[in-house]
Amino acid sequence: MQAQLNSKAENPKKKPIIFSGIQPSGMLQLGNYIGALRNFKLLQDDYDCLYCIVDLHAITVRQEPAKLRKLCYELVALYLAVGLDPERSLIYCQSHVSGHTELAWILGCYTYMGELQRMTQFKDKTAKHAENINAGLLTYPVLMAADILLFKSNLVPIGADQKQHLELTRDIAIRFNNIYGNVLTVPEPFIPKVGARIMSLLEPTRKMSKSDPEDTYISMLDSPDAVRRKLKRAVTDSEASIRFDAESKPGVSNLMSIYCSLTGSTLRQIEDDFAGKGYGHLKSAVAEAVIETLAPIQSEYARFMSDKGALDQIINNGAARARSLADRTMATVRKKVGLAPM
Ligand code: TRP
């Protein structure tokens, strides 16, 4: 890991820093893999990457302690199973690095209530968790800003649902810099070159999500039988023609997107290859492509999960490295804000 906090001027050969966080809120699904995880691996070559397991964000909604603890391990094992290399990428748990919450407190003093109350995710979550509208739901984006700014991240790979939070992160950083000088790096959103938006199998106008019913998504750990069964039941249409039209044929188009992203085939090619064939054919081809993709990941995952000692070591190393990077930012921030020297 060569992530450095020096400015580009001090070290012109430095790679841009990428930061991404995933909540440990359940085994990831195929959409997460195609949209995010798979790219994480490719990015390792050209960037200094930090891949954080954001357990502190997860507790903004009620979690079962034993389950949360287990999910953190599972996510680390999955990161490793898809090919993230802990020597090159920094893999760690957010709660192991106190700089996240320290910086979040400080940045919270530079964030307006109105900004937080305007966030669409806050509005959605307060509607969904009406029984537990806690302050953490409101300040969630400030913690996310701290995650990103703590490591002077240049680029943040995010989906559309997190764009607003990244905009706010930028606003906070710019506001802070306007007061204290050029302290924080203002990050940019990073939209990967490849990657499709994978939709629910049963409601293909909605994004595939692990918080929806089981039959609507393919888990990264689904068995071949489960994959075949779920795809067999995937919603299509009555036209019986394999062509891409996300508007009027969302189900078939989604199956085609999945197939293309996993096999590298183009939409044009599938339309030719499957000309005159029924949806059953397409579904089994997609199922086999999914099974072939998941098989090596699942066996690597099982291997990592069977060695808790090795996982602990990776998690602890990641935390130590992340802490030392975070400490440098925190020292500057503390000094600039005027907190008493230690
Ligand atoms: N809020 C993000 C999500 O729910 C997760 C996240 C937390 C994150 N901190 C981050 C993503 C920093 C990117 C960068 O998807």
Side-chain angles (χ1 to χ4, degrees):
M1 172 77 196
Q2 304 118 35
Q4 291 173 28
L5 297 176
N6 310 347
S7 70
K8 252 213 162 100
E10 287 166 40
N11 181 358
K13 278 208 243 61
K14 165 180 117 72
K15 294 176 182 172
I17 297 171
I18 287 202
F19 186 98
S20 189
I22 295 188
Q23 289 196 39
S25 52
M27 183 37 67
L28 299 188
Q29 38 81 11
L30 189 67
N32 302 129
Y33 175 70
I34 292 172
L37 221 44
R38 186 172 62 163
N39 287 311
F40 285 6
K41 184 186 167 190
L42 302 173
L43 296 172
Q44 294 185 122
D45 298 331
D46 300 325
Y47 303 91
D48 273 342
C49 301
L50 292 106
Y51 296 122
C52 182
I53 293 174
V54 292
D55 49 0
L56 296 171
H57 278 105
I59 61 169
T60 53
V61 301
R62 287 284 172 266
Q63 303 285 342
E64 222 181 280
K67 199 170 150 208
L68 178 61
R69 208 171 287 131
K70 189 158 166 270
L71 283 168
C72 285
Y73 274 101
E74 291 180 357
L75 199 47
V76 174
L78 189 68
Y79 276 1
L80 300 170
V82 299
L84 299 189
D85 172 3
E87 294 298 317
R88 284 191 290 161
S89 296
L90 216 167
I91 297 170
Y92 74 103
C93 293
Q94 185 186 35
S95 64
H96 292 178
V97 181
S98 57
H100 286 270
T101 44
E102 284 177 36
L103 186 58
W105 172 261
I106 295 173
L107 296 179
C109 302
Y110 301 82
T111 309
Y112 299 111
M113 288 296 286
E115 291 178 304
L116 296 175
Q117 284 161 337
R118 262 201 302 280
M119 294 289 119
T120 46
Q121 188 174 296
F122 172 67
K123 293 189 216 162
D124 290 350
K125 286 206 175 162
T126 50
K128 206 169 150 194
H129 302 278
E131 75 301 339
N132 180 19
I133 303 180
N134 61 70
L137 279 184
L138 180 70
T139 56
Y140 180 111
V142 182
L143 181 58
M144 178 163 161
D147 298 343
I148 296 165
L149 300 174
L150 191 55
F151 298 96
K152 306 214 183 292
S153 315
N154 303 105
L155 298 165
V156 183
I158 41 161
D161 63 326
Q162 296 297 317
K163 265 213 170 123
Q164 203 184 25
H165 290 165
L166 191 66
E167 266 312 307
L168 179 62
T169 301
R170 290 170 51 87
D171 291 344
I172 296 171
I174 291 167
R175 185 173 303 146
F176 194 92
N177 287 348
N178 280 339
I179 305 172
Y180 300 110
N182 203 7
V183 180
L184 302 172
T185 301
V186 181
E188 306 275 343
F190 183 78
I191 314 296
K193 275 186 227 104
V194 282
R197 195 156 174 257
I198 305 303
M199 314 303 279
S200 157
L201 297 177
L202 297 183
E203 257 184 278
T205 49
R206 290 168 56 120
K207 217 172 114 178
M208 185 178 279
S209 163
K210 61 185 188 278
S211 42
D212 284 343
E214 250 239 75
D215 274 3
T216 65
Y217 68 89
I218 291 168
S219 158
M220 294 291 292
L221 297 185
D222 271 349
S223 68
D225 280 350
V227 171
R228 289 191 190 101
R229 178 172 45 80
K230 288 179 182 179
L231 280 164
K232 213 169 258 170
R233 291 190 196 152
V235 164
T236 50
D237 53 58
S238 55
E239 193 200 24
S241 145
I242 295 175
R243 61 182 180 85
F244 192 89
D245 180 346
E247 279 282 300
S248 61
K249 295 167 69 68
V252 172
S253 302
N254 187 39
L255 294 174
M256 293 173 75
S257 297
I258 296 173
Y259 188 80
C260 280
S261 3
L262 298 182
T263 60
S265 153
T266 64
L267 289 171
R268 204 39 230 289
Q269 256 170 303
I270 319 185
E271 288 181 351
D272 289 349
D273 293 351
F274 288 87
K277 291 190 176 141
Y279 290 157
H281 256 97
L282 176 65
K283 287 178 170 184
S284 29
V286 176
E288 295 319 306
V290 170
I291 291 165
E292 205 175 299
T293 302
L294 295 185
I297 296 173
Q298 292 176 354
S299 69
E300 280 295 274
Y301 175 81
R303 193 168 66 83
F304 285 113
M305 281 302 280
S306 70
D307 192 349
K308 285 272 157 54
L311 275 185
D312 273 326
Q313 204 176 341
I314 287 167
I315 294 171
N316 290 337
N317 277 340
R321 280 153 66 199
R323 262 181 230 123
S324 84
L325 293 172
D327 284 350
R328 292 156 73 176
T329 306
M330 287 315 298
T332 313
V333 167
R334 280 197 200 99
K335 191 167 156 201
K336 292 285 181 180
V337 171
L339 300 177
M342 294 195 279

